[in-house]
């Protein structure tokens, strides 16, 4: 049986990680992997997470299964974090998932169950795993234009023009903030226009919010999600705690589904059913830490303070890189780097230029020229700036 299997395409980012590790150069720079790193290159455990783990070690009495949907306290805390007061409790169904990827997978499964003929409209470009999972599930995918390669900003007119063709029952996948891989984000007036278009077409919004707190602030980054939630009767939200809590390996996420109150019970039951089919009970350790942090005033204050330090640090690196490039090039063409938000920016370099950055300068980034700002520090920013200009970007 196993002899009939065919090799699967390698994950390009995981390939890049392998190449970086094998590179013997001591001055190499990793801007490819999608995790936050501090100035020393470490992905640290946040202070509040450490404190919560110490508390949990003292009081936890069992490692028995949690519920199919996860703990109610976790689901409620995540709903408050993402939605604020934008949706009444009688509209909200929610389950804990293995990370944001698990939330996306369960959301796609839910869509396929509810409407097998639905097309999922996906930004061009988007996080590659969106497309990989949708293809694996055999679902219909429609791209919509999103990123202007010349201005490195959102091509909003083109986006609206494409999404106008979405049909009732189709799903429009949106990035809640800190768009991956481009770093170019919708403004609040643009979110408003998207909401109005969804009302006209009858398409259902699905929002992937993996970086809340990394862009303009914890509340600001949720503004688009909350606007959509307040305007549309049905919304799917895939949320991740990997980045903003720094608990990548704990695999902590949530899928939130908003419905009409009359449909809430069957929606919640279906989400629990899908959990049972895919992995039964979701991971609990990370979810329990998140719950403790979000419901304890002191832990939450420390977490938010450190998250803000992380956010401001990335903004500072963006501003430094844009200024360095302006000084060296005598041009404002790299100003978009300071305007983008989150960990990523797409430079707009060709594959050949990306390859030259790797081979000639030891600078690793994804082939589409997505760079991870958090892979930089104050010392490596000037090195990157000189290399970008040297390869002709």
């Amino acid at each position: 049986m196993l002899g009939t299997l065919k090799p699967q395409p390698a994950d390009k980012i995981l390939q890049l990680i392998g190449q970086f590790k094998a590179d013997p150069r001591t001055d190499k720079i990793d801007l490819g992997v999608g995790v936050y790193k501090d100035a020393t290159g470490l992905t640290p455990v946040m202070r509040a997470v450490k404190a919560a783990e110490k508390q949990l070690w003292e009081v936890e009495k069992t490692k028995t299964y949690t519920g199919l949907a996860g703990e109610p306290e976790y689901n409620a805390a995540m709903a408050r974090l993402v939605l604020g007061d934008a949706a009444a409790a009688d509209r909200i169904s929610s389950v804990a998932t293995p990370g944001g990827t698990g939330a996306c997978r369960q959301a796609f499964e839910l869509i396929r169950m509810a409407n097998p003929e639905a097309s999922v409209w996906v930004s061009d470009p988007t996080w590659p795993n969106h497309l990989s999972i949708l293809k694996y599930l055999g679902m219909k995918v429609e791209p919509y234009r999103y990123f202007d390669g010349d201005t490195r900003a959102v091509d909003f007119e083109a986006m609206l023009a494409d999404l106008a063709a979405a049909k009732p029952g189709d799903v429009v996948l949106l990035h809640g903030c800190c768009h991956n891989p481009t770093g170019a984000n919708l403004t609040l007036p643009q979110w408003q226009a998207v909401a109005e278009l969804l009302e006209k077409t009858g398409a259902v919004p699905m929002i992937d919010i993996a970086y809340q707190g990394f862009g303009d602030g914890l509340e600001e980054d949720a503004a688009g999600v909350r606007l959509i939630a307040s305007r549309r009767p049905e919304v799917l939200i895939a949320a991740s705690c990997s980045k903003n809590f720094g608990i990548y390996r704990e695999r902590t996420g949530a899928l939130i589904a908003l419905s009409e109150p009359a449909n809430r019970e069957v929606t919640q039951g279906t989400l629990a059913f899908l959990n049972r089919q895919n992995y039964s009970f979701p991971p609990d350790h990370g979810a329990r830490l998140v719950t403790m942090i979000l419901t304890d005033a002191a832990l939450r204050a420390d977490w938010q303070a450190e998250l803000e330090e992380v956010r401001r640090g990335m903004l500072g690196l963006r501003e430094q890189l844009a200024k360095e490039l302006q000084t060296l090039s005598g041009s404002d063409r790299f100003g978009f780097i300071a305007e983008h938000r989150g960990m990523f920016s797409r430079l707009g370099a060709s594959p050949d230029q990306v390859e030259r950055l790797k081979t000639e300068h030891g600078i690793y980034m994804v082939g589409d020229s997505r760079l991870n700002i958090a892979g930089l520090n104050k010392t490596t920013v000037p090195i990157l700036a000189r290399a970008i200009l040297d390869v002709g970007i």
Side-chain angles (χ1 to χ4, degrees):
M1 177 184 73
L2 299 181
T4 66
L5 295 174
K6 298 178 181 178
Q8 298 301 309
D11 184 287
K12 293 180 180 179
I13 295 178
L14 297 181
Q15 271 188 321
L16 194 69
I17 292 171
Q19 294 170 7
F20 179 81
K21 288 182 177 178
D23 190 332
R25 288 175 286 188
T26 58
D27 58 349
K28 60 188 176 180
I29 303 173
D30 179 11
L31 304 180
V33 65
V35 300
Y36 170 77
K37 297 179 181 180
D38 64 16
T40 70
L42 177 70
T43 302
V45 180
M46 296 181 81
R47 297 186 301 262
V49 171
K50 277 280 193 185
E53 285 190 309
K54 288 179 181 178
Q55 291 181 22
L56 184 59
W57 187 84
E58 292 287 349
V59 301
E60 190 171 41
K61 292 182 171 63
T62 182
K63 290 289 187 181
T64 191
Y65 293 123
T66 183
L68 279 179
E71 292 297 312
E73 294 83 3
Y74 170 72
N75 285 308
M78 285 299 294
R80 286 193 299 271
L81 178 68
V82 175
L83 292 168
D85 59 0
D90 63 0
R91 294 182 58 207
I92 301 173
S93 301
S94 181
V95 289
T97 61
T101 303
C104 287
R105 172 62 184 262
Q106 296 297 72
F108 295 151
E109 294 264 18
L110 182 69
I111 293 163
R112 187 172 65 169
M113 179 181 287
N115 182 8
E117 298 304 312
S119 292
V120 180
W121 292 75
V122 179
S123 67
D124 182 15
T126 192
W127 181 48
N129 219 20
H130 285 152
L131 298 173
S132 178
I133 297 171
L134 287 165
K135 180 181 179 182
Y136 178 76
L137 291 174
M139 298 178 68
K140 298 177 182 178
V141 177
E142 292 286 350
Y144 63 85
R145 288 171 289 174
Y146 182 83
F147 188 66
D148 187 320
D150 294 327
T151 65
R152 275 77 154 188
V154 176
D155 188 349
F156 192 59
E157 288 188 9
M159 176 183 175
L160 291 185
D162 288 351
L163 290 180
K167 299 179 177 63
D170 282 354
V171 173
V172 174
L173 177 54
L174 302 158
H175 294 229
C177 64
C178 306
H179 187 274
N180 180 5
T182 70
N185 299 292
L186 300 178
T187 65
L188 201 56
Q190 288 172 335
W191 277 104
Q192 180 74 31
V194 170
E196 292 170 0
L197 181 61
L198 291 169
E199 289 174 359
K200 292 178 183 177
T201 63
V204 176
M206 173 181 164
I207 304 174
D208 185 355
I209 183 163
Y211 302 93
Q212 186 180 351
F214 268 33
D216 290 310
L218 199 61
E219 297 300 308
E220 293 85 348
D221 289 349
V225 182
R226 294 172 183 179
L227 188 152
I228 295 291
S230 68
R231 293 283 302 269
R232 302 303 302 135
E234 294 186 346
V235 185
L236 302 178
I237 303 164
S240 171
C241 300
S242 295
K243 286 80 177 178
N244 53 9
F245 287 87
I247 50 174
Y248 298 84
R249 66 176 61 173
E250 302 296 351
R251 310 312 300 133
T252 307
L255 173 58
I256 301 169
L258 303 182
S259 66
E260 298 284 6
N263 297 328
R264 181 189 175 280
E265 185 175 350
V266 69
T267 302
Q268 182 64 58
T270 303
L271 293 180
F273 170 82
L274 287 172
N275 269 15
R276 182 61 165 166
Q277 305 318 301
N278 281 331
Y279 43 77
S280 283
F281 305 97
D284 180 66
H285 184 72
R288 199 164 291 268
L289 297 176
V290 168
T291 306
M292 294 171 69
I293 291 167
L294 291 179
T295 58
D296 180 284
L299 290 175
R300 179 162 183 149
D302 192 32
W303 167 67
Q304 288 190 204
E306 187 170 3
L307 181 59
E308 185 66 6
E309 291 167 12
V310 167
R311 186 185 76 84
R312 289 186 177 276
M314 287 189 289
L315 285 180
L317 290 170
R318 286 187 174 281
E319 291 164 0
Q320 183 189 357
L321 180 57
K323 185 176 181 180
E324 189 78 24
L325 284 165
Q326 182 188 41
T327 300
L328 293 174
S329 68
S331 166
D332 292 327
R333 71 180 187 274
F334 295 102
F336 66 89
I337 294 173
E339 298 298 321
H340 288 173
R341 289 295 182 268
M343 290 201 300
F344 305 119
S345 276
R346 179 180 271 195
L347 280 181
S350 69
D352 287 343
Q353 290 169 327
V354 172
E355 183 64 24
R356 286 186 62 195
L357 284 171
K358 180 174 69 175
T359 57
E360 297 174 21
H361 298 276
I363 296 172
Y364 286 73
M365 65 180 66
V366 181
D368 64 1
S369 75
R370 185 198 81 170
L371 68 90
N372 181 1
I373 292 292
L376 294 167
N377 58 46
K378 291 181 179 179
T379 301
T380 56
V381 164
I383 298 171
L384 173 62
R386 290 192 293 271
I388 285 172
L389 296 177
D390 182 65
V391 301
I393 297 174

